[in-house]
């Protein structure tokens, strides 16, 4: 992955735009890299561990220690990822920076937040990102993957994208995720075998990430990683 220094232009752009339109808590702006960029990149690390073939295809210059095991449906380029409820661009913009071979659609229903996301995308010169001010139900699908960061509860989020993904939904969540998953299974009739959780602190050894998770909701049953 890119180093902290390589993300300094992104941090600088958010500092400027956050003064105009508040998309990050002002008390949190000094920890933007640790609490927002790195947190977003937990999804990249999840792909790295569980989908190494996709990881290599989307980030051809990566230095991965995971074997590139063929995976059905892998797209070397053109994979479509929807970041729904992106706010100012998280997790979509950090992920798009890491994966130039995938295309990211950043969607939010609040126009001023998308304005910030678009300004950061333009400032960084990212060519693999489209920013959209829209509601989930109006988006044409399907996408290969859907990602989100603490948008709403899983049982509310899932119906918005149920028919809009081919592979999986990846949500960054915190707190009592077991209760949320139970509600998802009960209300949305998602089979437990299609759900997987991964603790972010397996990768980021920091107290801030102690109760944070990546939750995957697959289209099909999820198998253990082939490593």
């Amino acid at each position: 992955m890119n180093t902290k220094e390589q993300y300094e232009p992104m941090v600088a752009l958010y500092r400027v735009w956050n003064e105009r339109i508040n998309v990050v808590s002002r008390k949190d702006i000094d920890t933007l890299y640790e609490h927002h960029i790195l947190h977003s990149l937990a999804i990249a690390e999840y792909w790295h561990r569980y989908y190494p073939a996709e990881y290599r295809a989307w980030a051809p210059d990566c230095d991965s220690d995971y074997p590139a095991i063929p995976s059905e449906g892998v797209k070397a380029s053109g994979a479509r990822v929807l970041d729904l409820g992106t706010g100012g661009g998280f997790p979509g913009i950090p992920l798009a920076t890491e994966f130039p071979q995938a295309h990211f659609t950043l969607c939010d229903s609040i126009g001023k937040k998308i304005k910030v996301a678009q300004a950061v995308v333009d400032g960084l010169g990212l060519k693999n990102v489209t920013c959209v001010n829209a509601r989930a139900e109006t988006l044409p699908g399907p996408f290969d993957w859907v990602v989100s960061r603490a948008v709403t509860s899983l049982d509310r989020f899932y119906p918005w994208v149920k028919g809009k993904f081919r592979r999986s939904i990846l949500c960054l969540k915190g707190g009592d995720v077991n209760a949320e998953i139970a509600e998802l299974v009960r209300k949305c009739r998602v089979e437990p075998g299609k759900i997987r959780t991964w603790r972010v602190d397996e990768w980021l050894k920091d107290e801030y990430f102690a109760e944070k998770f990546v939750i995957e909701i697959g289209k099909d049953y999820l198998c253990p990683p082939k490593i």
Side-chain angles (χ1 to χ4, degrees), residues 39-148:
H39 190 204
S40 297
L41 293 177
I43 290 178
E45 179 61 19
Y46 184 89
W47 271 321
H48 182 201
R49 295 179 181 220
Y50 286 84
Y51 297 94
E54 281 88 341
Y55 186 90
R56 276 191 167 88
W58 301 343
D61 297 328
C62 72
D63 182 17
S64 174
D65 53 358
Y66 286 78
I69 298 171
S71 177
E72 184 179 353
V74 173
K75 296 182 178 181
S77 62
R80 300 178 66 217
V81 182
L82 169 64
D83 175 7
L84 185 60
T86 190
F90 300 105
I93 291 178
L95 291 174
T97 302
E98 293 288 336
F99 298 116
Q101 297 300 323
H103 187 273
F104 290 79
T105 297
L106 276 53
C107 177
D108 203 283
S109 61
I110 300 176
K112 66 180 181 179
K113 292 184 177 181
I114 280 294
K115 181 178 180 180
V116 174
Q118 185 67 67
V120 174
V121 166
D122 292 344
L124 295 173
L126 295 174
K127 304 301 183 185
N128 60 330
V129 179
T130 300
C131 296
V132 181
N133 178 204
R135 299 187 66 84
E137 57 269 23
T138 68
L139 292 175
F143 295 85
D144 297 301
W145 303 80
V146 177
V147 299
S148 79

Side-chain angles (χ1 to χ4, degrees), residues 18-29:
N18 209 57
E19 289 294 321
R20 307 177 192 179
I21 300 172
N22 187 226
V23 293
V24 175
S25 168
R26 297 193 190 281
K27 66 179 183 180
D28 215 22
I29 195 68

